[in-house]
Amino acid sequence: MLVVEDEARLATALQRGLQAEGFAVDIALDGPTGLDQARHGEYDAMILDVMLPGLSGYRVVRALRAEKHWLPVLMLSAKDGEHDQADGLDCGADDYLTKPFSFVVLLARLRALLRRGAPQRPAVLTVGDLSLDPARRRVTVGGAEVVLTTREYGLLQYLMRRAGDVVSKTELLDHVWDASEETAPNAVEVYIGYLRRKLGRNVLETVRGAGYRLVAGAS
Ligand code: CA
């Protein structure tokens, strides 16, 4: 367990209380140290104050999530507006507790967080030897990485979620292209062509008059 809290007395009280419950607890007294420890330590969860010297709790959790660290985070704050709670959850925290809080409540919320485990990271999509990892934005074919443009990636992700189904051109235009964009009438064909070139010709079937189908293990 990592406790990031600049009020030393509160930090120590939390540490003692959590240790009495059987947790191993490290303390960080400012934002940058807390971020560094969260990055490099093997913690089950982090209790993170919002108002911290150096780097706010919001920025700590945002930095962790941006780096794909999925450590469960319980935020603490003296503020109690709904707005602040939304800020905390928006930036990637998993739960939020307003100071002053009772230790019993903190413990209950922490246990609930640990039961839930790490926040859900997007699952890796796999179709045959084709794999797409949304968290890392990485596509591989037979284990070898394939570099895609943003549009190609969006198109492939959509087709992989619908693997085996025939997906119409209209549906692809609706879901992969922004409504506001100027889109050439043959945009879908063009990008399907790009994907075939990069992934192998047989991965994407053309179903005449109906659309396209991504098929498993065909490359
Ligand atoms: Ca503080």
Side-chain angles (χ1 to χ4, degrees):
M1 185 72 48
L2 176 61
V3 175
V4 188
E5 167 60 77
D6 59 315
E7 292 164 51
R9 280 178 56 190
L10 177 56
T12 308
L14 283 173
Q15 185 179 39
R16 290 209 184 108
L18 290 168
Q19 281 171 342
E21 295 295 324
F23 293 101
V25 183
D26 287 340
I27 291 178
L29 295 170
D30 61 64
T33 310
L35 178 57
D36 196 54
Q37 280 178 247
R39 273 176 181 149
H40 300 113
E42 293 287 320
Y43 299 104
D44 295 325
M46 167 162 66
I47 298 171
L48 178 63
D49 190 28
V50 169
M51 302 298 279
L52 289 168
L55 205 58
S56 76
Y58 296 142
R59 294 186 52 188
V60 169
V61 73
R62 212 174 275 136
L64 286 172
R65 297 305 186 236
E67 294 164 16
K68 313 298 177 203
H69 285 274
W70 307 103
L71 176 72
V73 174
L74 173 62
M75 291 198 94
L76 301 179
S77 175
K79 300 177 184 176
D80 61 355
E82 281 179 333
H83 181 66
D84 302 313
Q85 177 153 356
D87 281 352
L89 298 176
D90 275 356
C91 74
D94 301 283
D95 201 358
Y96 196 100
L97 206 53
T98 303
K99 291 178 184 175
F101 51 83
S102 89
F103 183 71
V104 176
V105 171
L106 175 120
L107 204 56
R109 303 279 279 270
L110 202 54
R111 290 213 160 108
L113 210 59
L114 291 170
R115 269 199 304 276
R116 266 189 269 155
Q120 201 161 26
R121 54 175 294 168
V124 175
L125 301 172
T126 307
V127 180
D129 61 359
L130 185 63
S131 145
L132 182 149
D133 182 350
R136 296 161 70 198
R137 211 192 159 288
R138 190 166 183 267
V139 173
T140 58
V141 178
E145 183 162 8
V146 179
V147 179
L148 300 180
T149 65
T150 304
R151 177 78 69 206
E152 291 163 358
Y153 178 86
L155 182 59
L156 178 64
Q157 184 170 35
Y158 191 80
L159 286 163
M160 284 184 78
R161 289 193 192 287
R162 298 284 311 275
D165 295 345
V166 179
V167 184
S168 73
K169 242 191 276 183
T170 313
E171 185 177 342
L172 290 171
L173 282 171
D174 284 350
H175 287 90
V176 181
W177 275 263
D178 292 336
S180 59
E181 273 179 282
E182 198 76 43
T183 308
N186 65 340
V188 174
E189 286 95 322
V190 169
Y191 278 90
I192 291 284
Y194 292 159
L195 282 179
R196 281 182 173 143
R197 222 177 299 159
K198 291 185 175 180
L199 304 173
R201 292 218 67 79
N202 303 325
V203 175
L204 288 158
E205 287 179 356
T206 302
V207 181
R208 205 167 285 280
Y212 299 95
R213 177 163 52 203
L214 191 129
V215 287
S219 57

